[in-house]
C-alpha cells in the first residue's frame, strides 16, 4: 500500500488528481493528510 509520502509525490508529479488522492482515505492516509497534499497545490 501507499503511504503519505508516496501519494504526495505522485500527486506532485501529476499522476493523481485531487479526487484520486481522496480515494486513499482512510486505507492509506488520513483525511487531514489528504487535505494537506491537496492544499499545497492551491
Amino acid at each position: 500500500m501507499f503511504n503519505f509520502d508516496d501519494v504526495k509525490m505522485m500527486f506532485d508529479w501529476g499522476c493523481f488528481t485531487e479526487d484520486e488522492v481522496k480515494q486513499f482515505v482512510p486505507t492509506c492516509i488520513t483525511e487531514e493528510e489528504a487535505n494537506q497534499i491537496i492544499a499545497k497545490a492551491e
Side-chain angles (χ1 to χ4, degrees):
M1 276 289 158
F2 295 121
N3 63 24
F4 172 81
D5 292 329
D6 296 333
V7 176
K8 181 184 178 325
M9 179 179 62
M10 288 187 276
F11 178 76
D12 290 344
W13 288 353
C15 298
F16 293 149
T17 65
E18 291 184 13
D19 289 335
E20 289 170 329
V21 168
K22 292 176 184 177
Q23 291 177 2
F24 290 103
V25 178
T27 55
C28 300
I29 60 176
T30 65
E31 184 74 35
E32 292 81 21
E33 288 173 330
N35 291 336
Q36 183 180 356
I37 291 169
I38 293 167
K40 292 183 184 216
E42 295 175 352

